Amino acid sequence: MEANIKTIKSLAVLCSGGDSPGMNSAVRSVVRTAIGMGIDVYGIYKGYSGLLEGNIQKLNLSSVGNIIQRGGTILDTSRCLEFHTPEIRQEAAHILARKHIDALIVIGGNGSFAGAMTLHQEHDIPVIGIPGTIDNDISGTEYTIGFNTAVQTAVNAVDNIRDTASAHARTFLVEVMGRKSSFIALQVGICTGAEHVVLSNQAVDYEKIVSGINKGTERGKTSSIIIVAEGEKAGLSYEIKDTLMTQYNLSVHACILGHIQRGGSPTALDRLIASKMGYAAVQSLNQGLRCHVTAFNKGEIEMVPLSACMTGKNESTESQLELIRALAI
């Protein structure tokens, strides 16, 4: 442990922002690892809002029993715009001090991490982030908890939709989540054999979509699946549908999968990575780290500075798009 760093005797854990499958697995891992090391552990309910309200309870082993398979989060979650205010963060620091809580573990995405880093910078509170978001859009880590489950949920839905598309000889636009990220759309597109994927950060190429549909029709295909990343707001697939019907005279249906991708029992992969990250988060605090994130890179959990996870993830899409194009001929 680094010199002059206070020993962690107690910590709190919260979930913030959008929920993602596997958060409960991470909470369970944090609680049981901490208790096993003789560290008192507290659950903060409803994220940063709950912290400000003092909605904090001490947890024991039974508190996290039988939750590893559950979606959502037993701690609940929220988005707290008030936390952007310095005075509000100061009050949060005072609450933690009054509760004799030495460190904070935050499970969430970019906004949640920004709050944690600022809290550390302003009040020297040790913080560790665990990346939990279905969008997989946090820099510094190749993987975020919930992504695999969200992809699998969407793949199952598209497989069902393709049955109907084939039966009725139709083209379906299936919209998946990804406000600023197309990672879900790309993986779902590959895994479902989609004819085209519309990315959230690119203009819709109608000519390419129509060309792909027509080529399929010429060789006897009666249906097509187009995956759409939702972009800044849900409903992009309906705009594309209207254009394809009115300007290209195609029979098209749209389906928005929406929040079903957030829920559901986490896959084995999400449970495994979440459990490893929760364990690493507590261990890293015990070893003297004070402002880091549990990252998953090259198949291993590693600790990276929280600042490295704040820049936004660069999407490497071309290789995946090339694969989709190669297999959709």
Side-chain angles (χ1 to χ4, degrees):
M1 184 179 296
E2 295 178 18
N4 301 321
I5 286 189
K6 180 181 176 182
T7 300
I8 300 298
K9 296 181 180 180
S10 64
L11 63 85
V13 57
L14 64 79
C15 297
S16 176
D19 62 299
S20 62
M23 280 185 165
N24 280 329
S25 303
V27 170
R28 173 181 180 271
S29 181
V30 166
V31 171
R32 296 200 167 184
T33 302
I35 291 175
M37 296 172 61
I39 299 172
D40 290 334
V41 57
Y42 295 82
I44 299 176
Y45 292 79
K46 296 188 177 179
Y48 290 117
S49 295
L51 170 56
L52 296 170
E53 295 165 0
N55 195 352
I56 304 170
Q57 298 180 24
K58 190 172 183 179
L59 302 177
N60 56 38
L61 296 178
S62 296
S63 301
V64 293
N66 198 31
I67 69 169
I68 195 171
Q69 79 282 5
R70 291 170 55 183
T73 164
I74 64 164
L75 294 181
D76 300 330
T77 185
S78 69
R79 302 183 191 278
C80 183
L81 297 180
E82 295 85 356
F83 213 73
H84 291 282
T85 307
E87 293 77 12
I88 294 296
R89 293 192 295 271
Q90 184 175 55
E91 177 59 22
H94 288 164
I95 292 171
L96 291 173
R98 290 198 294 269
K99 293 285 187 178
H100 303 290
I101 294 172
D102 299 325
L104 181 64
I105 293 176
V106 175
I107 307 171
N110 289 308
S112 306
F113 284 3
M117 187 166 71
T118 306
L119 195 63
H120 172 75
Q121 291 171 337
E122 294 176 345
H123 303 284
D124 199 31
I125 295 173
V127 296
I128 298 294
I130 297 178
T133 166
I134 66 170
D135 291 334
N136 196 30
D137 61 349
I138 296 177
S139 60
T141 180
E142 295 173 359
Y143 190 84
T144 62
I145 297 169
F147 176 67
N148 184 257
T149 305
V151 169
Q152 187 60 59
T153 298
V155 167
N156 292 342
V158 174
D159 287 347
N160 292 341
I161 290 169
R162 189 177 280 281
D163 291 341
T164 293
S166 298
H168 292 273
R170 292 171 178 167
T171 292
F172 267 83
L173 296 160
V174 183
E175 185 170 316
V176 299
M177 297 187 85
R179 186 167 61 92
K180 295 182 179 180
S181 168
S182 296
F183 287 108
I184 292 177
L186 285 164
Q187 288 213 10
V188 171
I190 293 169
C191 295
T192 59
E195 281 69 28
H196 189 78
V197 173
V198 177
L199 304 182
S200 59
N201 60 347
Q202 295 182 4
V204 180
D205 191 337
Y206 288 101
E207 296 299 329
K208 184 173 290 186
I209 293 174
V210 173
S211 175
I213 294 173
N214 290 338
K215 286 180 180 178
T217 301
E218 291 171 0
R219 60 183 176 84
K221 285 190 66 176
T222 59
S223 64
S224 297
I225 295 290
I226 311 298
I227 303 298
V228 180
E230 66 182 0
E232 288 295 335
K233 63 178 182 178
L236 175 60
S237 56
Y238 285 111
E239 297 178 20
I240 298 173
K241 169 193 169 184
D242 291 341
T243 300
L244 292 175
M245 292 181 71
T246 58
Q247 297 186 24
Y248 296 93
N249 198 32
L250 293 175
S251 176
V252 182
H253 290 257
C255 178
I256 299 177
L257 298 186
H259 284 77
I260 67 165
Q261 295 158 92
R262 283 199 185 280
S265 180
T267 61
L269 179 62
D270 275 322
R271 299 183 199 191
L272 176 64
I273 293 179
S275 297
K276 288 184 175 182
M277 286 184 170
Y279 174 82
V282 178
Q283 290 285 348
S284 67
L285 285 170
N286 189 55
Q287 293 164 6
L289 297 186
R290 293 298 182 259
C291 190
H292 286 70
V293 170
T294 59
F296 183 81
N297 292 315
K298 297 181 180 178
E300 300 291 340
I301 304 297
E302 63 177 1
M303 303 305 299
V304 302
L306 185 50
S307 58
C309 300
M310 302 301 302
T311 59
K313 195 168 190 174
N314 292 324
E315 294 191 42
S316 179
T317 60
E318 189 53 42
S319 62
Q320 296 187 76
L321 283 173
E322 180 59 34
L323 179 58
I324 291 170
R325 287 192 290 264
L327 300 181
I329 60 173

Short mmCIF file of all heavy atoms in Angstrom, two decimals, residues 61-121:
data_model
loop_
_atom_site.label_atom_id
_atom_site.label_comp_id
_atom_site.label_asym_id
_atom_site.label_seq_id
_atom_site.Cartn_x
_atom_site.Cartn_y
_atom_site.Cartn_z
N LEU A 61 -24.06 -10.53 4.31
CA LEU A 61 -24.01 -11.59 3.30
C LEU A 61 -25.40 -11.93 2.78
O LEU A 61 -25.58 -12.17 1.58
CB LEU A 61 -23.34 -12.83 3.90
CG LEU A 61 -21.86 -12.67 4.31
CD1 LEU A 61 -21.36 -13.96 4.93
CD2 LEU A 61 -21.01 -12.29 3.10
N SER A 62 -26.38 -11.93 3.66
CA SER A 62 -27.74 -12.29 3.24
C SER A 62 -28.36 -11.21 2.36
O SER A 62 -29.27 -11.49 1.59
CB SER A 62 -28.62 -12.52 4.48
OG SER A 62 -28.15 -13.63 5.23
N SER A 63 -27.87 -9.98 2.46
CA SER A 63 -28.42 -8.88 1.67
C SER A 63 -28.28 -9.14 0.17
O SER A 63 -29.05 -8.62 -0.64
CB SER A 63 -27.72 -7.57 2.01
OG SER A 63 -27.85 -7.25 3.38
N VAL A 64 -27.26 -9.92 -0.20
CA VAL A 64 -26.99 -10.16 -1.62
C VAL A 64 -27.16 -11.63 -1.98
O VAL A 64 -26.65 -12.10 -2.99
CB VAL A 64 -25.57 -9.67 -2.00
CG1 VAL A 64 -25.50 -8.15 -1.90
CG2 VAL A 64 -24.51 -10.30 -1.11
N GLY A 65 -27.91 -12.36 -1.16
CA GLY A 65 -28.18 -13.75 -1.48
C GLY A 65 -29.19 -13.88 -2.60
O GLY A 65 -30.14 -13.10 -2.71
N ASN A 66 -28.97 -14.83 -3.50
CA ASN A 66 -29.92 -15.14 -4.57
C ASN A 66 -30.20 -13.96 -5.50
O ASN A 66 -31.33 -13.77 -5.95
CB ASN A 66 -31.23 -15.66 -3.96
CG ASN A 66 -32.08 -16.41 -4.98
OD1 ASN A 66 -31.56 -17.05 -5.89
ND2 ASN A 66 -33.39 -16.34 -4.84
N ILE A 67 -29.18 -13.16 -5.80
CA ILE A 67 -29.39 -12.04 -6.71
C ILE A 67 -28.53 -12.13 -7.97
O ILE A 67 -28.72 -11.36 -8.91
CB ILE A 67 -29.13 -10.68 -6.04
CG1 ILE A 67 -27.63 -10.51 -5.72
CG2 ILE A 67 -29.99 -10.51 -4.81
CD1 ILE A 67 -27.25 -9.09 -5.30
N ILE A 68 -27.58 -13.07 -8.02
CA ILE A 68 -26.63 -13.09 -9.13
C ILE A 68 -27.33 -13.30 -10.47
O ILE A 68 -26.85 -12.85 -11.52
CB ILE A 68 -25.55 -14.18 -8.90
CG1 ILE A 68 -24.37 -13.98 -9.84
CG2 ILE A 68 -26.14 -15.59 -9.02
CD1 ILE A 68 -23.18 -14.87 -9.52
N GLN A 69 -28.48 -13.96 -10.46
CA GLN A 69 -29.20 -14.28 -11.69
C GLN A 69 -30.25 -13.23 -12.05
O GLN A 69 -30.88 -13.31 -13.10
CB GLN A 69 -29.88 -15.65 -11.57
CG GLN A 69 -31.18 -15.67 -10.76
CD GLN A 69 -30.97 -15.62 -9.26
OE1 GLN A 69 -29.85 -15.49 -8.78
NE2 GLN A 69 -32.04 -15.75 -8.50
N ARG A 70 -30.42 -12.21 -11.22
CA ARG A 70 -31.47 -11.23 -11.44
C ARG A 70 -30.98 -10.04 -12.26
O ARG A 70 -29.87 -9.54 -12.07
CB ARG A 70 -32.02 -10.73 -10.10
CG ARG A 70 -32.80 -11.78 -9.32
CD ARG A 70 -33.11 -11.32 -7.91
NE ARG A 70 -33.83 -10.05 -7.88
CZ ARG A 70 -34.16 -9.41 -6.75
NH1 ARG A 70 -33.82 -9.95 -5.58
NH2 ARG A 70 -34.81 -8.27 -6.80
N GLY A 71 -31.84 -9.57 -13.17
CA GLY A 71 -31.54 -8.37 -13.92
C GLY A 71 -31.81 -7.13 -13.08
O GLY A 71 -32.21 -7.22 -11.92
N GLY A 72 -31.61 -5.95 -13.67
CA GLY A 72 -31.81 -4.72 -12.93
C GLY A 72 -30.79 -4.57 -11.82
O GLY A 72 -29.66 -5.03 -11.93
N THR A 73 -31.17 -3.92 -10.73
CA THR A 73 -30.27 -3.75 -9.59
C THR A 73 -31.08 -3.65 -8.31
O THR A 73 -32.04 -2.88 -8.23
CB THR A 73 -29.38 -2.50 -9.73
OG1 THR A 73 -28.80 -2.19 -8.46
CG2 THR A 73 -30.15 -1.30 -10.24
N ILE A 74 -30.70 -4.43 -7.31
CA ILE A 74 -31.40 -4.39 -6.03
C ILE A 74 -31.20 -3.05 -5.33
O ILE A 74 -31.96 -2.68 -4.43
CB ILE A 74 -30.97 -5.53 -5.10
CG1 ILE A 74 -29.48 -5.40 -4.73
CG2 ILE A 74 -31.27 -6.89 -5.71
CD1 ILE A 74 -29.07 -6.23 -3.53
N LEU A 75 -30.17 -2.31 -5.72
CA LEU A 75 -29.91 -1.00 -5.12
C LEU A 75 -30.71 0.10 -5.81
O LEU A 75 -30.65 1.26 -5.36
CB LEU A 75 -28.41 -0.67 -5.21
CG LEU A 75 -27.47 -1.56 -4.39
CD1 LEU A 75 -26.03 -1.11 -4.55
CD2 LEU A 75 -27.86 -1.57 -2.92
N ASP A 76 -31.43 -0.24 -6.86
CA ASP A 76 -32.13 0.76 -7.66
C ASP A 76 -31.11 1.74 -8.26
O ASP A 76 -29.93 1.72 -7.91
CB ASP A 76 -33.18 1.52 -6.84
CG ASP A 76 -34.25 0.60 -6.28
OD1 ASP A 76 -34.52 -0.44 -6.92
OD2 ASP A 76 -34.79 0.90 -5.20
N THR A 77 -31.57 2.58 -9.15
CA THR A 77 -30.66 3.52 -9.80
C THR A 77 -31.43 4.76 -10.20
O THR A 77 -32.67 4.79 -10.17
CB THR A 77 -30.00 2.87 -11.04
OG1 THR A 77 -29.03 3.78 -11.59
CG2 THR A 77 -31.02 2.51 -12.09
N SER A 78 -30.71 5.80 -10.56
CA SER A 78 -31.34 7.05 -10.98
C SER A 78 -30.32 7.90 -11.71
O SER A 78 -29.13 7.59 -11.73
CB SER A 78 -31.88 7.82 -9.76
OG SER A 78 -30.80 8.31 -8.98
N ARG A 79 -30.82 8.96 -12.32
CA ARG A 79 -29.94 9.98 -12.90
C ARG A 79 -30.11 11.24 -12.06
O ARG A 79 -31.23 11.71 -11.85
CB ARG A 79 -30.30 10.24 -14.37
CG ARG A 79 -30.23 8.98 -15.23
CD ARG A 79 -30.53 9.28 -16.69
NE ARG A 79 -30.72 8.06 -17.46
CZ ARG A 79 -29.75 7.32 -17.97
NH1 ARG A 79 -28.50 7.68 -17.78
NH2 ARG A 79 -30.02 6.23 -18.67
N CYS A 80 -29.01 11.78 -11.57
CA CYS A 80 -29.06 12.89 -10.61
C CYS A 80 -28.39 14.13 -11.20
O CYS A 80 -27.17 14.31 -11.10
CB CYS A 80 -28.37 12.48 -9.31
SG CYS A 80 -28.43 13.72 -8.00
N LEU A 81 -29.18 15.00 -11.81
CA LEU A 81 -28.64 16.22 -12.42
C LEU A 81 -28.10 17.17 -11.36
O LEU A 81 -27.17 17.95 -11.63
CB LEU A 81 -29.74 16.91 -13.24
CG LEU A 81 -30.28 16.12 -14.44
CD1 LEU A 81 -31.36 16.92 -15.16
CD2 LEU A 81 -29.15 15.77 -15.41
N GLU A 82 -28.64 17.10 -10.14
CA GLU A 82 -28.18 17.99 -9.07
C GLU A 82 -26.71 17.77 -8.74
O GLU A 82 -26.04 18.67 -8.22
CB GLU A 82 -29.02 17.77 -7.81
CG GLU A 82 -30.48 18.15 -7.94
CD GLU A 82 -31.33 17.03 -8.54
OE1 GLU A 82 -30.74 15.99 -8.92
OE2 GLU A 82 -32.55 17.20 -8.62
N PHE A 83 -26.20 16.58 -9.04
CA PHE A 83 -24.82 16.26 -8.69
C PHE A 83 -23.81 17.06 -9.50
O PHE A 83 -22.61 17.04 -9.19
CB PHE A 83 -24.57 14.75 -8.86
CG PHE A 83 -23.60 14.19 -7.87
CD1 PHE A 83 -23.96 14.01 -6.55
CD2 PHE A 83 -22.31 13.82 -8.26
CE1 PHE A 83 -23.07 13.49 -5.62
CE2 PHE A 83 -21.42 13.30 -7.34
CZ PHE A 83 -21.79 13.14 -6.02
N HIS A 84 -24.27 17.76 -10.52
CA HIS A 84 -23.38 18.63 -11.29
C HIS A 84 -23.00 19.89 -10.51
O HIS A 84 -22.09 20.61 -10.90
CB HIS A 84 -24.05 19.04 -12.61
CG HIS A 84 -24.21 17.92 -13.59
ND1 HIS A 84 -23.17 17.45 -14.35
CD2 HIS A 84 -25.28 17.16 -13.91
CE1 HIS A 84 -23.60 16.45 -15.11
NE2 HIS A 84 -24.88 16.26 -14.86
N THR A 85 -23.68 20.15 -9.40
CA THR A 85 -23.46 21.37 -8.62
C THR A 85 -22.42 21.13 -7.51
O THR A 85 -22.55 20.19 -6.73
CB THR A 85 -24.78 21.84 -7.98
OG1 THR A 85 -25.78 21.95 -8.99
CG2 THR A 85 -24.60 23.16 -7.27
N PRO A 86 -21.39 21.97 -7.41
CA PRO A 86 -20.35 21.77 -6.39
C PRO A 86 -20.89 21.70 -4.98
O PRO A 86 -20.43 20.88 -4.17
CB PRO A 86 -19.44 22.99 -6.59
CG PRO A 86 -19.64 23.39 -8.01
CD PRO A 86 -21.07 23.10 -8.31
N GLU A 87 -21.87 22.55 -4.65
CA GLU A 87 -22.42 22.54 -3.30
C GLU A 87 -23.11 21.22 -2.98
O GLU A 87 -23.07 20.74 -1.83
CB GLU A 87 -23.41 23.71 -3.13
CG GLU A 87 -22.79 25.09 -3.18
CD GLU A 87 -22.45 25.56 -4.58
OE1 GLU A 87 -22.91 24.90 -5.56
OE2 GLU A 87 -21.74 26.56 -4.72
N ILE A 88 -23.74 20.64 -4.00
CA ILE A 88 -24.41 19.37 -3.80
C ILE A 88 -23.39 18.26 -3.58
O ILE A 88 -23.56 17.39 -2.72
CB ILE A 88 -25.31 19.04 -5.01
CG1 ILE A 88 -26.46 20.05 -5.10
CG2 ILE A 88 -25.84 17.61 -4.93
CD1 ILE A 88 -27.42 20.00 -3.93
N ARG A 89 -22.30 18.29 -4.33
CA ARG A 89 -21.24 17.29 -4.13
C ARG A 89 -20.60 17.43 -2.76
O ARG A 89 -20.21 16.43 -2.13
CB ARG A 89 -20.20 17.40 -5.25
CG ARG A 89 -20.74 17.01 -6.63
CD ARG A 89 -19.59 16.85 -7.62
NE ARG A 89 -18.90 18.10 -7.87
CZ ARG A 89 -19.24 18.98 -8.81
NH1 ARG A 89 -20.29 18.75 -9.59
NH2 ARG A 89 -18.53 20.08 -8.99
N GLN A 90 -20.46 18.67 -2.30
CA GLN A 90 -19.91 18.88 -0.97
C GLN A 90 -20.81 18.25 0.09
O GLN A 90 -20.33 17.62 1.04
CB GLN A 90 -19.74 20.38 -0.69
CG GLN A 90 -19.07 20.68 0.64
CD GLN A 90 -18.82 22.16 0.82
OE1 GLN A 90 -19.74 22.97 0.72
NE2 GLN A 90 -17.57 22.53 1.08
N GLU A 91 -22.12 18.39 -0.08
CA GLU A 91 -23.05 17.77 0.85
C GLU A 91 -22.94 16.25 0.80
O GLU A 91 -23.01 15.57 1.84
CB GLU A 91 -24.48 18.21 0.54
CG GLU A 91 -25.54 17.55 1.41
CD GLU A 91 -25.35 17.80 2.90
OE1 GLU A 91 -24.68 18.79 3.28
OE2 GLU A 91 -25.87 17.00 3.69
N ALA A 92 -22.76 15.71 -0.40
CA ALA A 92 -22.58 14.26 -0.54
C ALA A 92 -21.35 13.79 0.22
O ALA A 92 -21.38 12.76 0.90
CB ALA A 92 -22.46 13.89 -2.02
N ALA A 93 -20.26 14.56 0.13
CA ALA A 93 -19.03 14.22 0.85
C ALA A 93 -19.26 14.27 2.36
O ALA A 93 -18.77 13.41 3.11
CB ALA A 93 -17.91 15.17 0.45
N HIS A 94 -20.01 15.26 2.81
CA HIS A 94 -20.32 15.37 4.24
C HIS A 94 -21.15 14.19 4.73
O HIS A 94 -20.93 13.67 5.84
CB HIS A 94 -21.07 16.68 4.51
CG HIS A 94 -20.21 17.89 4.39
ND1 HIS A 94 -20.73 19.17 4.28
CD2 HIS A 94 -18.86 18.04 4.34
CE1 HIS A 94 -19.75 20.03 4.18
NE2 HIS A 94 -18.60 19.38 4.20
N ILE A 95 -22.08 13.74 3.91
CA ILE A 95 -22.92 12.60 4.28
C ILE A 95 -22.07 11.35 4.43
O ILE A 95 -22.21 10.59 5.39
CB ILE A 95 -24.03 12.39 3.23
CG1 ILE A 95 -25.04 13.53 3.29
CG2 ILE A 95 -24.74 11.05 3.45
CD1 ILE A 95 -26.06 13.53 2.16
N LEU A 96 -21.17 11.12 3.48
CA LEU A 96 -20.28 9.96 3.57
C LEU A 96 -19.41 10.04 4.83
O LEU A 96 -19.19 9.03 5.52
CB LEU A 96 -19.41 9.86 2.32
CG LEU A 96 -20.12 9.51 1.02
CD1 LEU A 96 -19.16 9.63 -0.16
CD2 LEU A 96 -20.72 8.11 1.08
N ALA A 97 -18.94 11.23 5.13
CA ALA A 97 -18.10 11.40 6.32
C ALA A 97 -18.90 11.13 7.59
O ALA A 97 -18.40 10.47 8.52
CB ALA A 97 -17.51 12.81 6.35
N ARG A 98 -20.14 11.63 7.65
CA ARG A 98 -20.97 11.42 8.84
C ARG A 98 -21.30 9.94 9.03
O ARG A 98 -21.48 9.47 10.15
CB ARG A 98 -22.25 12.23 8.73
CG ARG A 98 -22.06 13.73 8.86
CD ARG A 98 -23.36 14.43 9.18
NE ARG A 98 -24.31 14.34 8.09
CZ ARG A 98 -24.42 15.22 7.10
NH1 ARG A 98 -23.60 16.27 7.07
NH2 ARG A 98 -25.34 15.07 6.16
N LYS A 99 -21.37 9.20 7.92
CA LYS A 99 -21.65 7.77 7.99
C LYS A 99 -20.36 6.95 8.21
O LYS A 99 -20.42 5.73 8.29
CB LYS A 99 -22.31 7.31 6.68
CG LYS A 99 -23.71 7.88 6.44
CD LYS A 99 -24.75 7.21 7.31
CE LYS A 99 -26.15 7.67 6.92
NZ LYS A 99 -27.18 7.00 7.74
N HIS A 100 -19.22 7.66 8.30
CA HIS A 100 -17.91 7.00 8.49
C HIS A 100 -17.61 6.03 7.34
O HIS A 100 -17.08 4.94 7.55
CB HIS A 100 -17.86 6.29 9.83
CG HIS A 100 -18.14 7.18 11.00
ND1 HIS A 100 -17.26 8.15 11.42
CD2 HIS A 100 -19.22 7.26 11.82
CE1 HIS A 100 -17.76 8.80 12.45
NE2 HIS A 100 -18.96 8.28 12.71
N ILE A 101 -17.96 6.45 6.12
CA ILE A 101 -17.69 5.65 4.92
C ILE A 101 -16.42 6.18 4.27
O ILE A 101 -16.33 7.36 3.93
CB ILE A 101 -18.88 5.71 3.95
CG1 ILE A 101 -20.10 5.01 4.58
CG2 ILE A 101 -18.53 5.06 2.61
CD1 ILE A 101 -21.38 5.18 3.79
N ASP A 102 -15.44 5.31 4.11
CA ASP A 102 -14.11 5.72 3.65
C ASP A 102 -13.97 5.79 2.13
O ASP A 102 -13.10 6.50 1.63
CB ASP A 102 -13.04 4.76 4.18
CG ASP A 102 -12.99 4.73 5.70
OD1 ASP A 102 -13.20 5.78 6.33
OD2 ASP A 102 -12.73 3.64 6.26
N ALA A 103 -14.77 5.01 1.39
CA ALA A 103 -14.58 4.92 -0.06
C ALA A 103 -15.91 4.62 -0.74
O ALA A 103 -16.87 4.15 -0.10
CB ALA A 103 -13.57 3.83 -0.40
N LEU A 104 -15.95 4.88 -2.04
CA LEU A 104 -17.18 4.71 -2.80
C LEU A 104 -16.90 3.92 -4.07
O LEU A 104 -15.94 4.22 -4.80
CB LEU A 104 -17.75 6.08 -3.18
CG LEU A 104 -19.06 6.10 -3.97
CD1 LEU A 104 -20.21 5.51 -3.15
CD2 LEU A 104 -19.39 7.53 -4.40
N ILE A 105 -17.71 2.90 -4.33
CA ILE A 105 -17.65 2.14 -5.58
C ILE A 105 -18.89 2.47 -6.39
O ILE A 105 -20.02 2.33 -5.89
CB ILE A 105 -17.55 0.62 -5.31
CG1 ILE A 105 -16.22 0.29 -4.64
CG2 ILE A 105 -17.69 -0.17 -6.62
CD1 ILE A 105 -16.07 -1.16 -4.24
N VAL A 106 -18.69 2.93 -7.62
CA VAL A 106 -19.78 3.38 -8.48
C VAL A 106 -19.90 2.44 -9.69
O VAL A 106 -18.94 2.27 -10.44
CB VAL A 106 -19.55 4.82 -8.96
CG1 VAL A 106 -20.63 5.24 -9.96
CG2 VAL A 106 -19.55 5.77 -7.76
N ILE A 107 -21.08 1.85 -9.86
CA ILE A 107 -21.35 0.99 -11.01
C ILE A 107 -22.22 1.77 -11.98
O ILE A 107 -23.35 2.15 -11.65
CB ILE A 107 -22.07 -0.31 -10.57
CG1 ILE A 107 -21.29 -1.00 -9.45
CG2 ILE A 107 -22.23 -1.24 -11.77
CD1 ILE A 107 -22.05 -2.17 -8.83
N GLY A 108 -21.71 2.04 -13.18
CA GLY A 108 -22.47 2.83 -14.13
C GLY A 108 -21.67 3.17 -15.36
O GLY A 108 -20.68 2.51 -15.69
N GLY A 109 -22.10 4.22 -16.05
CA GLY A 109 -21.48 4.62 -17.30
C GLY A 109 -20.72 5.93 -17.20
O GLY A 109 -20.28 6.34 -16.11
N ASN A 110 -20.61 6.63 -18.33
CA ASN A 110 -19.78 7.83 -18.39
C ASN A 110 -20.20 8.92 -17.41
O ASN A 110 -19.37 9.50 -16.72
CB ASN A 110 -19.80 8.39 -19.82
CG ASN A 110 -19.06 7.52 -20.81
OD1 ASN A 110 -17.91 7.18 -20.59
ND2 ASN A 110 -19.71 7.14 -21.89
N GLY A 111 -21.50 9.22 -17.36
CA GLY A 111 -21.98 10.25 -16.45
C GLY A 111 -21.73 9.90 -15.00
O GLY A 111 -21.34 10.75 -14.19
N SER A 112 -21.93 8.64 -14.67
CA SER A 112 -21.71 8.16 -13.31
C SER A 112 -20.24 8.29 -12.93
O SER A 112 -19.90 8.69 -11.81
CB SER A 112 -22.15 6.71 -13.18
OG SER A 112 -23.48 6.55 -13.62
N PHE A 113 -19.37 7.96 -13.87
CA PHE A 113 -17.93 8.06 -13.62
C PHE A 113 -17.49 9.51 -13.47
O PHE A 113 -16.60 9.83 -12.68
CB PHE A 113 -17.15 7.39 -14.75
CG PHE A 113 -17.17 5.88 -14.69
CD1 PHE A 113 -17.89 5.20 -13.73
CD2 PHE A 113 -16.47 5.14 -15.63
CE1 PHE A 113 -17.90 3.82 -13.67
CE2 PHE A 113 -16.47 3.75 -15.58
CZ PHE A 113 -17.18 3.08 -14.60
N ALA A 114 -18.11 10.41 -14.24
CA ALA A 114 -17.77 11.82 -14.14
C ALA A 114 -18.06 12.34 -12.73
O ALA A 114 -17.27 13.09 -12.14
CB ALA A 114 -18.54 12.63 -15.18
N GLY A 115 -19.21 11.92 -12.18
CA GLY A 115 -19.56 12.33 -10.83
C GLY A 115 -18.57 11.78 -9.82
O GLY A 115 -18.16 12.49 -8.88
N ALA A 116 -18.16 10.53 -9.98
CA ALA A 116 -17.22 9.90 -9.05
C ALA A 116 -15.86 10.60 -9.10
O ALA A 116 -15.25 10.86 -8.06
CB ALA A 116 -17.08 8.42 -9.39
N MET A 117 -15.38 10.88 -10.31
CA MET A 117 -14.06 11.50 -10.44
C MET A 117 -14.05 12.90 -9.83
O MET A 117 -13.09 13.29 -9.15
CB MET A 117 -13.63 11.55 -11.90
CG MET A 117 -12.19 12.03 -12.07
SD MET A 117 -11.51 11.73 -13.72
CE MET A 117 -12.44 12.95 -14.67
N THR A 118 -15.12 13.65 -10.08
CA THR A 118 -15.19 15.00 -9.51
C THR A 118 -15.26 14.95 -7.99
O THR A 118 -14.64 15.77 -7.30
CB THR A 118 -16.42 15.75 -10.07
OG1 THR A 118 -16.39 15.72 -11.49
CG2 THR A 118 -16.41 17.20 -9.61
N LEU A 119 -15.99 13.99 -7.45
CA LEU A 119 -16.07 13.82 -6.00
C LEU A 119 -14.69 13.54 -5.42
O LEU A 119 -14.32 14.05 -4.35
CB LEU A 119 -17.05 12.69 -5.68
CG LEU A 119 -17.54 12.58 -4.24
CD1 LEU A 119 -18.33 13.82 -3.83
CD2 LEU A 119 -18.41 11.33 -4.07
N HIS A 120 -13.92 12.73 -6.12
CA HIS A 120 -12.56 12.43 -5.66
C HIS A 120 -11.67 13.66 -5.75
O HIS A 120 -10.91 13.97 -4.82
CB HIS A 120 -11.96 11.31 -6.50
CG HIS A 120 -10.50 11.08 -6.23
ND1 HIS A 120 -10.04 10.44 -5.10
CD2 HIS A 120 -9.39 11.43 -6.95
CE1 HIS A 120 -8.72 10.39 -5.12
NE2 HIS A 120 -8.30 10.99 -6.23
N GLN A 121 -11.75 14.38 -6.86
CA GLN A 121 -10.88 15.54 -7.07
C GLN A 121 -11.16 16.64 -6.06
O GLN A 121 -10.25 17.30 -5.56
CB GLN A 121 -11.07 16.06 -8.49
CG GLN A 121 -10.52 15.13 -9.56
CD GLN A 121 -10.90 15.57 -10.97
OE1 GLN A 121 -11.90 16.29 -11.16
NE2 GLN A 121 -10.12 15.14 -11.95
#
